[in-house]
Amino acid sequence: MLIRDADEKDWPSIYPIFAEIVAAGRTYAYPENLSREDARSYWMAGPPGRTVVAVDGDVVVGTPTMGPNRPGRGSHVATASFMVDPLQQSRGVGRALGSEVLDWARREGFRAIQFNAVVETNAAAVHL
C-alpha cells in the first residue's frame, strides 16, 4: 500500500467511497444526495489542508482529508476525516492513514489534533 497526495485524477476513485459511506448515514453528517462536484468541495482540501489517498496497485482503498481545525487563533489545532473503502476494511488502511495524518500534523507545526465528528457508534474510529 502506498500513501500519496491526492490529485484531481483521484476524485473519480474517491467519490464512490465517499458516496457509499455518506449514504450509509452512520459516520458523517454531510448533507444527503450531494452531487459529485459538491462532494468534491467537501473532501478535496486545498492549502493549508491536504488530502491523500492510500492505493493498492492502482486502486484507491482509503483517503483522509486534513487541515486546520479552525481559522485564526484556532489554527494551531489540526483536524482530519477518514474514509476507507468498506471492501478494504480490516487491512490496516485506517491505521496507516491515521499515522500519515499525525506525521503531517507534526511536520506542519500543529500543536494538537482534534477529531470533531467521531460518533460513538463508529466503533472502528473510536478503536483507532
Side-chain angles (χ1 to χ4, degrees), residues 91-115:
R91 292 187 49 215
V93 176
R95 183 167 301 281
L97 292 173
S99 292
E100 176 68 23
V101 166
L102 292 174
D103 290 344
W104 169 83
R106 284 185 195 103
R107 282 192 314 271
E108 294 299 310
F110 289 97
R111 306 277 314 264
I113 190 163
Q114 178 175 321
F115 302 107

Side-chain angles (χ1 to χ4, degrees), residues 19-88:
E20 182 176 349
I21 290 170
V22 171
R26 292 188 307 268
T27 55
Y28 285 98
Y30 290 122
E32 295 180 77
N33 302 314
L34 287 171
S35 70
R36 181 181 292 246
E37 193 57 29
D38 287 341
R40 188 185 70 72
S41 69
Y42 276 103
W43 199 258
M44 298 296 284
R50 179 180 182 224
T51 302
V52 301
V53 288
V55 293
D56 186 0
D58 60 352
V59 176
V60 172
V61 295
T63 176
T65 188
M66 61 205 88
N69 192 44
R70 296 281 184 253
R73 290 180 281 193
S75 64
H76 65 288
V77 177
T79 191
S81 297
F82 302 83
M83 292 190 180
V84 174
D85 181 339
L87 297 175
Q88 302 295 329

